[in-house]
Amino acid sequence: MAPKKPAAPPPGCSLDINDPQVQNAAIRIQASYRGHRSRKELKEKGPPRVLENLKDVVLIEGSAAKLECRISAFPDPFIRWSKDNVELKDGPKYRYIFEDPDIVALVVRDSSLSDLGKYTISVKNPFGECSDSARLLVEVPAKIKKGPDSTKAKKGSTVNLIAHISGEPAPDVGWAKDGEDIEEDDRVYYNIGSDSTTLT
């Protein structure tokens, strides 16, 4: 009995390999296969691996940060995120993200100075474990939280004007009078602290 010939495609149904949509579909299929193959190889070799490391993230206060890396693990691993060795629970502030096939990420919402620190991902399965770390750096725009109070003084007396400031990194600070920068000398000088500056 002669073997059956493959059925012809239905009329009007054909593929153009030069069609961008066909090429994109082929790329996605290949990427999916590569992810499956890497997980299959890992099952034979043992512990999880970090394929693309976490990177430090710098962001403006109040925005969201995303720390992500690419891992290879089979069977599916247990993922744990921590900040300065304290575990972070998945919730409104911190969101665990899993992007198929190999990308895992942590989203930190409403960032503030308290979010500065070292973030670590720990990946564990029955064959072993691995980890990776990166730092989250938060920039806070320079701001005058409270300007100096108006002061009356007698001629020849010493006057201290204090302003409360904030910013990360520490901002450059200067004083001005009637729009002109004040230069320090033996009569006028100013000190700059972590959260205030004093003109004397």
Side-chain angles (χ1 to χ4, degrees), residues 13-33:
C13 180
S14 61
L15 291 177
D16 181 0
I17 61 173
N18 294 318
D19 186 331
Q21 292 184 344
V22 174
Q23 293 177 350
N24 288 336
I27 291 172
R28 288 196 295 270
I29 292 171
Q30 291 172 353
S32 177
Y33 171 73

Side-chain angles (χ1 to χ4, degrees), residues 84-154:
D84 299 329
N85 298 318
V86 177
E87 184 175 359
L88 302 174
K89 299 295 185 181
D90 187 27
K93 175 65 175 178
Y94 304 104
R95 293 295 298 169
Y96 285 28
I97 304 295
F98 301 92
E99 299 177 358
D100 188 69
D102 305 312
I103 303 299
V104 292
L106 176 74
V107 173
V108 182
R109 296 176 174 172
D110 299 322
S111 62
S112 64
L113 284 177
S114 63
D115 293 316
L116 286 168
K118 178 181 177 182
Y119 288 75
T120 300
I121 181 173
S122 300
V123 186
K124 184 178 182 180
N125 73 3
F127 297 102
E129 59 185 300
C130 63
S131 64
D132 193 33
S133 298
R135 301 196 69 83
L136 180 60
L137 309 172
V138 180
E139 292 186 348
V140 181
K143 181 170 62 177
I144 299 174
K145 299 171 67 176
K146 183 178 183 299
D149 296 325
S150 299
T151 303
K152 292 182 179 181
K154 295 181 179 179

Side-chain angles (χ1 to χ4, degrees), residues 140-149 161-168 171-176 195-197:
V140 181
K143 181 170 62 177
I144 299 174
K145 299 171 67 176
K146 183 178 183 299
D149 296 325
L161 299 176
I162 301 175
H164 296 277
I165 58 177
S166 64
E168 182 64 38
D172 294 328
V173 177
W175 287 82
D195 59 359
S196 66
T197 175

